[in-house]
Amino acid sequence: MSVPQLLALAAANGDLVEVAAGYYLHRDVDRQVQTLLRAPLSDGRSLTLSEIRELLATTRKYAVPYCEYLDRIGFTRRDGDRRWLAAEDATKSP
């Protein structure tokens, strides 16, 4: 079995989350990151991509697809260059 097949199998089993094509995170890491971001996004506050990148101590290369993933799953919503926490009922991890 090839690595892409193993990744697809792990994603299908729910062990990995496909953030973008070829970019996966373990489901527990995804939950931890969402928990980390929830506090600074609470009470109507918003963050820029740069602020999220700094909080995650990562590079733009990884922060951009992760933020787009969070928008796609309804954890955040983007308005211009700011991201806001989406409605609580939409923030459940897939």
mmCIF file of all heavy atoms in Angstrom, residues 15-17 23-36 56 66:
data_model
loop_
_atom_site.group_PDB
_atom_site.id
_atom_site.type_symbol
_atom_site.label_atom_id
_atom_site.label_comp_id
_atom_site.label_asym_id
_atom_site.label_seq_id
_atom_site.Cartn_x
_atom_site.Cartn_y
_atom_site.Cartn_z
ATOM 1 N N ASP A 15 -9.099 9.161 11.617
ATOM 2 C CA ASP A 15 -7.877 9.387 12.382
ATOM 3 C C ASP A 15 -7.166 10.657 11.942
ATOM 4 O O ASP A 15 -6.530 11.331 12.755
ATOM 5 C CB ASP A 15 -6.913 8.202 12.236
ATOM 6 C CG ASP A 15 -7.502 6.927 12.810
ATOM 7 O OD1 ASP A 15 -8.142 6.999 13.880
ATOM 8 O OD2 ASP A 15 -7.331 5.861 12.187
ATOM 9 N N LEU A 16 -7.257 10.970 10.664
ATOM 10 C CA LEU A 16 -6.652 12.173 10.106
ATOM 11 C C LEU A 16 -7.732 13.066 9.530
ATOM 12 O O LEU A 16 -8.788 12.598 9.112
ATOM 13 C CB LEU A 16 -5.656 11.826 8.989
ATOM 14 C CG LEU A 16 -4.426 11.029 9.354
ATOM 15 C CD1 LEU A 16 -3.586 10.770 8.108
ATOM 16 C CD2 LEU A 16 -3.601 11.733 10.412
ATOM 17 N N VAL A 17 -7.447 14.359 9.478
ATOM 18 C CA VAL A 17 -8.321 15.344 8.857
ATOM 19 C C VAL A 17 -7.569 15.894 7.664
ATOM 20 O O VAL A 17 -6.421 16.338 7.803
ATOM 21 C CB VAL A 17 -8.633 16.486 9.853
ATOM 22 C CG1 VAL A 17 -9.420 17.580 9.176
ATOM 23 C CG2 VAL A 17 -9.345 15.956 11.069
ATOM 24 N N TYR A 23 -2.437 17.658 2.628
ATOM 25 C CA TYR A 23 -2.111 18.277 3.908
ATOM 26 C C TYR A 23 -3.072 17.716 4.952
ATOM 27 O O TYR A 23 -4.261 17.994 4.922
ATOM 28 C CB TYR A 23 -2.242 19.785 3.769
ATOM 29 C CG TYR A 23 -2.068 20.619 5.017
ATOM 30 C CD1 TYR A 23 -1.398 20.162 6.142
ATOM 31 C CD2 TYR A 23 -2.574 21.908 5.059
ATOM 32 C CE1 TYR A 23 -1.257 20.952 7.274
ATOM 33 C CE2 TYR A 23 -2.424 22.709 6.180
ATOM 34 C CZ TYR A 23 -1.766 22.219 7.275
ATOM 35 O OH TYR A 23 -1.628 23.008 8.389
ATOM 36 N N TYR A 24 -2.539 16.900 5.843
ATOM 37 C CA TYR A 24 -3.339 16.213 6.850
ATOM 38 C C TYR A 24 -2.889 16.577 8.258
ATOM 39 O O TYR A 24 -1.720 16.865 8.490
ATOM 40 C CB TYR A 24 -3.190 14.692 6.699
ATOM 41 C CG TYR A 24 -3.717 14.143 5.407
ATOM 42 C CD1 TYR A 24 -2.925 14.114 4.265
ATOM 43 C CD2 TYR A 24 -5.006 13.646 5.306
ATOM 44 C CE1 TYR A 24 -3.400 13.595 3.072
ATOM 45 C CE2 TYR A 24 -5.499 13.131 4.121
ATOM 46 C CZ TYR A 24 -4.684 13.104 3.002
ATOM 47 O OH TYR A 24 -5.161 12.599 1.823
ATOM 48 N N LEU A 25 -3.835 16.519 9.187
ATOM 49 C CA LEU A 25 -3.543 16.667 10.610
ATOM 50 C C LEU A 25 -4.217 15.510 11.341
ATOM 51 O O LEU A 25 -5.294 15.059 10.930
ATOM 52 C CB LEU A 25 -4.135 17.959 11.170
ATOM 53 C CG LEU A 25 -3.416 19.258 10.943
ATOM 54 C CD1 LEU A 25 -4.208 20.405 11.561
ATOM 55 C CD2 LEU A 25 -2.027 19.221 11.528
ATOM 56 N N HIS A 26 -3.609 15.083 12.425
ATOM 57 C CA HIS A 26 -4.269 14.095 13.260
ATOM 58 C C HIS A 26 -5.489 14.764 13.880
ATOM 59 O O HIS A 26 -5.449 15.946 14.240
ATOM 60 C CB HIS A 26 -3.316 13.593 14.350
ATOM 61 C CG HIS A 26 -3.845 12.407 15.074
ATOM 62 N ND1 HIS A 26 -4.703 12.524 16.138
ATOM 63 C CD2 HIS A 26 -3.662 11.078 14.859
ATOM 64 C CE1 HIS A 26 -5.025 11.324 16.563
ATOM 65 N NE2 HIS A 26 -4.403 10.419 15.806
ATOM 66 N N ARG A 27 -6.574 14.026 14.021
ATOM 67 C CA ARG A 27 -7.822 14.618 14.534
ATOM 68 C C ARG A 27 -7.634 15.247 15.915
ATOM 69 O O ARG A 27 -8.241 16.266 16.218
ATOM 70 C CB ARG A 27 -8.939 13.587 14.561
ATOM 71 C CG ARG A 27 -8.715 12.517 15.587
ATOM 72 C CD ARG A 27 -9.910 11.610 15.794
ATOM 73 N NE ARG A 27 -9.536 10.643 16.793
ATOM 74 C CZ ARG A 27 -9.405 9.348 16.577
ATOM 75 N NH1 ARG A 27 -9.667 8.855 15.395
ATOM 76 N NH2 ARG A 27 -9.043 8.554 17.548
ATOM 77 N N ASP A 28 -6.785 14.651 16.769
ATOM 78 C CA ASP A 28 -6.552 15.213 18.103
ATOM 79 C C ASP A 28 -5.817 16.553 18.026
ATOM 80 O O ASP A 28 -6.096 17.466 18.803
ATOM 81 C CB ASP A 28 -5.774 14.240 18.983
ATOM 82 C CG ASP A 28 -6.569 12.981 19.295
ATOM 83 O OD1 ASP A 28 -7.817 12.993 19.152
ATOM 84 O OD2 ASP A 28 -5.935 11.968 19.675
ATOM 85 N N VAL A 29 -4.885 16.673 17.080
ATOM 86 C CA VAL A 29 -4.168 17.938 16.896
ATOM 87 C C VAL A 29 -5.146 19.004 16.399
ATOM 88 O O VAL A 29 -5.124 20.144 16.876
ATOM 89 C CB VAL A 29 -2.980 17.768 15.927
ATOM 90 C CG1 VAL A 29 -2.351 19.113 15.587
ATOM 91 C CG2 VAL A 29 -1.946 16.818 16.519
ATOM 92 N N ASP A 30 -6.020 18.622 15.487
ATOM 93 C CA ASP A 30 -7.029 19.556 14.984
ATOM 94 C C ASP A 30 -7.892 20.061 16.137
ATOM 95 O O ASP A 30 -8.122 21.268 16.265
ATOM 96 C CB ASP A 30 -7.876 18.867 13.913
ATOM 97 C CG ASP A 30 -8.948 19.769 13.336
ATOM 98 O OD1 ASP A 30 -8.684 20.969 13.130
ATOM 99 O OD2 ASP A 30 -10.060 19.262 13.079
ATOM 100 N N ARG A 31 -8.341 19.174 16.994
ATOM 101 C CA ARG A 31 -9.172 19.582 18.143
ATOM 102 C C ARG A 31 -8.388 20.498 19.086
ATOM 103 O O ARG A 31 -8.928 21.478 19.599
ATOM 104 C CB ARG A 31 -9.656 18.354 18.905
ATOM 105 C CG ARG A 31 -10.726 17.599 18.175
ATOM 106 C CD ARG A 31 -11.237 16.431 18.998
ATOM 107 N NE ARG A 31 -12.023 15.552 18.155
ATOM 108 C CZ ARG A 31 -11.908 14.233 18.138
ATOM 109 N NH1 ARG A 31 -11.063 13.620 18.933
ATOM 110 N NH2 ARG A 31 -12.659 13.512 17.324
ATOM 111 N N GLN A 32 -7.123 20.180 19.328
ATOM 112 C CA GLN A 32 -6.294 21.012 20.211
ATOM 113 C C GLN A 32 -6.124 22.413 19.643
ATOM 114 O O GLN A 32 -6.188 23.409 20.376
ATOM 115 C CB GLN A 32 -4.925 20.369 20.430
ATOM 116 C CG GLN A 32 -4.967 19.118 21.266
ATOM 117 C CD GLN A 32 -3.628 18.385 21.274
ATOM 118 O OE1 GLN A 32 -2.687 18.752 20.576
ATOM 119 N NE2 GLN A 32 -3.553 17.320 22.058
ATOM 120 N N VAL A 33 -5.904 22.492 18.338
ATOM 121 C CA VAL A 33 -5.719 23.808 17.707
ATOM 122 C C VAL A 33 -7.020 24.606 17.767
ATOM 123 O O VAL A 33 -7.009 25.805 18.064
ATOM 124 C CB VAL A 33 -5.207 23.663 16.261
ATOM 125 C CG1 VAL A 33 -5.191 25.005 15.551
ATOM 126 C CG2 VAL A 33 -3.823 23.034 16.254
ATOM 127 N N GLN A 34 -8.149 23.946 17.518
ATOM 128 C CA GLN A 34 -9.427 24.647 17.616
ATOM 129 C C GLN A 34 -9.665 25.146 19.036
ATOM 130 O O GLN A 34 -10.140 26.268 19.234
ATOM 131 C CB GLN A 34 -10.570 23.743 17.153
ATOM 132 C CG GLN A 34 -10.565 23.523 15.660
ATOM 133 C CD GLN A 34 -11.730 22.689 15.180
ATOM 134 O OE1 GLN A 34 -12.829 22.777 15.722
ATOM 135 N NE2 GLN A 34 -11.507 21.872 14.166
ATOM 136 N N THR A 35 -9.313 24.346 20.028
ATOM 137 C CA THR A 35 -9.435 24.762 21.424
ATOM 138 C C THR A 35 -8.534 25.963 21.701
ATOM 139 O O THR A 35 -8.952 26.927 22.355
ATOM 140 C CB THR A 35 -9.090 23.598 22.370
ATOM 141 O OG1 THR A 35 -10.021 22.537 22.136
ATOM 142 C CG2 THR A 35 -9.149 24.018 23.819
ATOM 143 N N LEU A 36 -7.321 25.919 21.187
ATOM 144 C CA LEU A 36 -6.373 27.027 21.367
ATOM 145 C C LEU A 36 -6.917 28.324 20.758
ATOM 146 O O LEU A 36 -6.771 29.400 21.335
ATOM 147 C CB LEU A 36 -5.028 26.669 20.722
ATOM 148 C CG LEU A 36 -3.969 27.759 20.696
ATOM 149 C CD1 LEU A 36 -3.398 27.955 22.103
ATOM 150 C CD2 LEU A 36 -2.866 27.403 19.733
ATOM 151 N N LEU A 56 -0.211 29.924 16.454
ATOM 152 C CA LEU A 56 0.090 28.526 16.153
ATOM 153 C C LEU A 56 1.579 28.277 15.991
ATOM 154 O O LEU A 56 1.996 27.124 15.821
ATOM 155 C CB LEU A 56 -0.651 28.085 14.883
ATOM 156 C CG LEU A 56 -2.176 28.192 14.936
ATOM 157 C CD1 LEU A 56 -2.779 27.706 13.627
ATOM 158 C CD2 LEU A 56 -2.737 27.427 16.117
ATOM 159 N N TYR A 66 -4.873 25.960 6.716
ATOM 160 C CA TYR A 66 -5.592 25.594 7.932
ATOM 161 C C TYR A 66 -6.728 26.585 8.202
ATOM 162 O O TYR A 66 -7.838 26.170 8.552
ATOM 163 C CB TYR A 66 -4.658 25.492 9.143
ATOM 164 C CG TYR A 66 -5.374 24.877 10.315
ATOM 165 C CD1 TYR A 66 -5.721 23.526 10.307
ATOM 166 C CD2 TYR A 66 -5.756 25.642 11.404
ATOM 167 C CE1 TYR A 66 -6.421 22.956 11.358
ATOM 168 C CE2 TYR A 66 -6.449 25.076 12.462
ATOM 169 C CZ TYR A 66 -6.774 23.735 12.429
ATOM 170 O OH TYR A 66 -7.482 23.173 13.474
#
